Amino acid sequence: MKRFPSWLLTVISIVIGIVVWYLLSAIPAVGAIITSPIRVVKTLLAEIESGRMLSNIWASLLRVIGGFSLGLIVAIPAAFLMAWYAVVRAIVDPWIQFFRTIPPIALIPLVIVSQGVGESAKISVIFVATFLVMVISIFQGVRNVDPTLIRAARVLGATDKHIFLEVIVPASFPYILVGVRLGLAAAWTTLVAAELTGASKGLGNMIMEASLYFRMDVVILGIMVIGLIGLSMDKFVLFLERKLTGWQELRQG
């Protein structure tokens, strides 16, 4: 049996999904909630023409990128320190495990009281969500580095600095990229909660305002835009992973 290319299967899957969506929207009881794709496209064009869509996308992108970037900057050194030093792990790990079980939306009252309803509050909520996801993933990656590599480096006279830069970092780099993917996903899933802190613009705010007036076409449009942007970012990180970790595949081969 001839194997179909993956891109063709993806296109077929998307087409089938749109057809199923259209058929479901044609059912009166369902169509009141799941708006037809044709109406969603018309709403998209109207939102773009009015300028609201681009404004909302830009506002949400800035918040996601800001919170995610801060989370990554803090997560990388924290994860490496926890994995490298047992004392740091014993002190920090219980707190990370504790806050990891708390949904970011539960922190919103504290964030509003401490920071108000400005942009810093929204970025802070996204920062907490992304940091907790990424620090655990990166920590596990560092812990999974083959101890034989470390022992061999020590036998050859490598210092802790050289072991860290030339053994630990390259070996754990794929896990860092996995953490980045998980962090981006957490950032977008936390966006709506972050924009509960009094946003006037943003995709999450657009969805919440539309739901108050039962504008389900706008709600579905906002959900789809968030999904498409998040998917595009994930594919970009996958592209970087293939480019930057290709040497590992060659070594394994």
Side-chain angles (χ1 to χ4, degrees):
M1 182 177 178
K2 186 177 180 181
R3 185 177 178 181
F4 290 99
S6 59
W7 67 266
L8 180 59
L9 294 175
T10 300
V11 171
I12 293 173
S13 175
I14 293 173
V15 171
I16 292 174
I18 294 175
V19 171
V20 171
W21 176 11
Y22 180 80
L23 293 176
L24 287 174
S25 67
I27 302 173
V30 179
I33 300 174
I34 303 178
T35 311
S36 72
I38 296 175
R39 184 176 175 186
V40 171
V41 171
K42 291 180 179 178
T43 303
L44 171 62
L45 296 176
E47 291 292 316
I48 292 175
E49 185 177 356
S50 67
R52 290 190 297 268
M53 177 56 69
L54 295 179
S55 176
N56 287 326
I57 291 175
W58 181 246
S60 292
L61 268 177
L62 289 178
R63 291 162 188 158
V64 166
I65 293 174
F68 166 79
S69 300
L70 288 175
L72 182 62
I73 291 171
V74 178
I76 290 178
F80 277 98
L81 288 172
M82 286 171 57
W84 198 251
Y85 299 106
V87 174
V88 177
R89 182 164 64 252
I91 295 173
V92 177
D93 185 64
W95 292 103
I96 290 178
Q97 298 302 329
F98 172 77
F99 283 105
R100 190 168 67 92
T101 62
I102 301 174
I105 194 171
L107 302 176
I108 287 179
L110 294 176
V111 172
I112 292 177
V113 171
S114 61
Q115 300 185 36
V117 294
E119 290 300 310
S120 63
K122 301 167 186 58
I123 292 174
S124 295
V125 174
I126 296 175
F127 159 73
V128 171
T130 55
F131 166 76
L132 293 173
V133 170
M134 289 189 290
V135 72
I136 294 172
S137 175
I138 298 171
F139 165 75
Q140 291 298 329
V142 179
R143 293 285 291 174
N144 288 336
V145 174
D146 189 353
T148 305
L149 297 175
I150 300 175
R151 287 195 295 267
R154 290 194 187 280
V155 169
L156 294 173
T159 63
D160 283 352
K161 176 182 177 182
H162 288 95
I163 292 174
F164 177 77
L165 294 176
E166 299 178 18
V167 178
I168 303 296
V169 172
S172 60
F173 190 70
Y175 293 91
I176 295 176
L177 292 178
V178 171
V180 167
R181 293 180 64 193
L182 294 173
L184 283 172
W188 283 108
T189 54
T190 312
L191 176 67
V192 176
E195 291 183 347
L196 283 172
T197 59
S200 60
K201 293 181 180 179
L203 294 171
N205 178 72
M206 181 181 78
I207 292 172
M208 288 183 290
E209 284 188 352
S211 66
L212 296 176
Y213 299 99
F214 209 71
R215 288 285 311 278
M216 301 313 296
D217 53 335
V218 178
V219 171
I220 293 176
L221 174 61
I223 293 171
M224 291 195 64
V225 171
I226 290 176
L228 288 172
I229 296 176
L231 179 62
S232 299
M233 287 184 165
D234 185 72
K235 293 298 183 183
F236 177 70
V237 176
L238 279 175
F239 171 77
L240 290 180
E241 183 178 3
R242 288 193 297 269
K243 292 295 183 181
L244 298 177
T245 62
W247 61 272
Q248 290 190 331
E249 296 178 1
L250 293 175
R251 186 182 65 180
Q252 293 173 357

